[in-house]
């Protein structure tokens, strides 16, 4: 089992409250996190809930903090919310998974030092009974068409996360707008969404890592579609007043130590790594 209690699970609202509490000394959000003379060595990492719920950060951060002496304060929200924190100057580093939005963040002048870090895949999961007959479908788009036709329960993240964005893109490819009493918007992180899907015998889209550590009775019904690739990137927030600390963290993630930890994570418990390291400067 993954370590418990090392990092506080932070909800959307609480995450924002924490950020405004820990970033003392900012005269305005646009100025970023400014280190004062008596400030401890720390950064704020805004990241997707999948890195938190899977347990990956519980493994990586203690090693980094011991090596560097830099404390990492985590705000785990959807990717869209994490990117907004970066735009507002309320985070120092982003670790997210929505490549188009990441590229726009950098192109708009908000981010620098962007790297590919790792990837895994999205999975369409659901009850073993598979009431919509999804298993064996040739594509994710065909699978969601079957779910909509059967009006089978589907739980959406509904939180502007990377997973939510991917789900919406699949519905768009299928030529459908999901709506009706069978389609639920959780507005929650991946772990909570999986729990809800399990309780309601519903389908959902999930990243592989969070599924394997929070799957309950849900089974994988669609995987391996090239459109379900799930790459993660790390970006330094340009407005951050802690550029040196942020760069140190990024170089750890994409360096030999961080990449080894990422590649080994999950093997002991699940027989396979939950993420594939692929560090590369963009």
């Amino acid at each position: 089992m993954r370590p418990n209690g090392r990092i506080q699970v932070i909800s959307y609202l609480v995450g924002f409250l924490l950020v405004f509490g820990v970033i003392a000394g900012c005269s305005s959000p646009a100025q970023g996190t400014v280190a004062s003379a008596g400030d401890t060595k720390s950064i704020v990492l805004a990241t997707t809930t999948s890195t938190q719920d899977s347990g990956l950060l519980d493994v990586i951060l203690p090693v980094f903090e011991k090596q560097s002496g830099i404390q990492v304060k985590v705000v785990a929200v959807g990717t869209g919310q994490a990117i907004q924190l970066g735009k507002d100057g309320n985070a120092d580093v982003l670790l997210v998974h929505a490549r188009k939005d990441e590229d726009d963040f950098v192109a708009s002048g908000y981010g620098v030092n962007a790297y590919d870090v790792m990837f895994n895949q999205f999975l369409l999961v659901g009850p073993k009974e598979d009431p919509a007959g999804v298993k064996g479908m040739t594509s994710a788009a065909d699978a969601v068409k079957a779910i909509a036709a059967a009006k089978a329960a589907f739980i959406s993240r509904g939180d502007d996360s990377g997973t939510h964005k991917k789900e919406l893109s699949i519905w768009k490819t299928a030529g459908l707008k999901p709506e009706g009493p069978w389609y639920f918007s959780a507005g929650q992180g991946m772990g909570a969404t999986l729990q809800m899907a399990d309780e309601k015998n519903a389908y959902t889209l999930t990243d592989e890592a969070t599924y394997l550590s929070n799957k309950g009775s849900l089974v994988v019904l669609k995987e391996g579609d090239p459109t379900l690739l799930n790459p993660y990137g790390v970006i330094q927030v340009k407005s951050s007043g802690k550029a040196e600390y942020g760069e140190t963290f990024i170089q750890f993630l994409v360096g030999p130590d961080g990449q080894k930890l990422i590649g080994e994570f999950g093997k002991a418990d699940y027989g396979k790594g939950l993420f594939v390291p692929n560090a590369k400067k963009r």
Side-chain angles (χ1 to χ4, degrees), residues 28 32 49 58 61 64 69 78 92 118 150 156 159 161 207 240 251-252:
S28 69
T49 62
D58 292 312
L61 296 189
F64 170 73
D92 302 296
M118 60 193 182
S156 171
D159 63 350
S161 62
D207 68 282
S240 168
Q251 290 306 315
F252 173 82

Side-chain angles (χ1 to χ4, degrees), residues 232-254:
Y232 288 76
V234 64
I235 307 169
Q236 186 173 355
V237 177
K238 189 174 182 180
S239 65
S240 168
K242 298 183 177 181
E244 180 182 352
Y245 300 162
E247 174 66 10
T248 299
F249 177 67
I250 290 173
Q251 290 306 315
F252 173 82
L253 274 188
V254 302

Side-chain angles (χ1 to χ4, degrees), residues 22 24 34-42 73 242 245:
V22 300
V34 180
S36 63
D39 190 27
T40 58
K41 293 174 66 176
S42 66
K73 300 176 181 179
K242 298 183 177 181
Y245 300 162

Side-chain angles (χ1 to χ4, degrees), residues 77-113:
V77 290
T79 285
Q81 310 298 340
I83 288 175
Q84 189 60 51
L85 283 171
K87 288 181 177 180
D88 293 340
N90 290 323
D92 302 296
V93 177
L94 308 182
L95 177 58
V96 289
H97 64 146
R99 181 59 186 264
K100 181 181 182 303
D101 292 357
E102 296 166 38
D103 290 344
D104 289 345
F105 182 81
V106 174
S108 298
Y110 292 107
V112 293
N113 296 332

Side-chain angles (χ1 to χ4, degrees), residues 17 20 27 34 38 41 46 61 71 102 113 120 128 141 147 151 160 180 192 196 205 230-232 237 268 276 280-281:
L17 292 175
F20 288 116
S27 60
V34 180
K41 293 174 66 176
L61 296 189
Q71 182 184 4
E102 296 166 38
N113 296 332
N120 59 12
K128 183 171 61 175
I147 292 169
K151 292 183 170 51
D160 196 35
M196 188 180 299
L205 187 74
N230 182 25
Y232 288 76
V237 177
V276 179
K280 184 177 66 174
K281 184 77 184 287

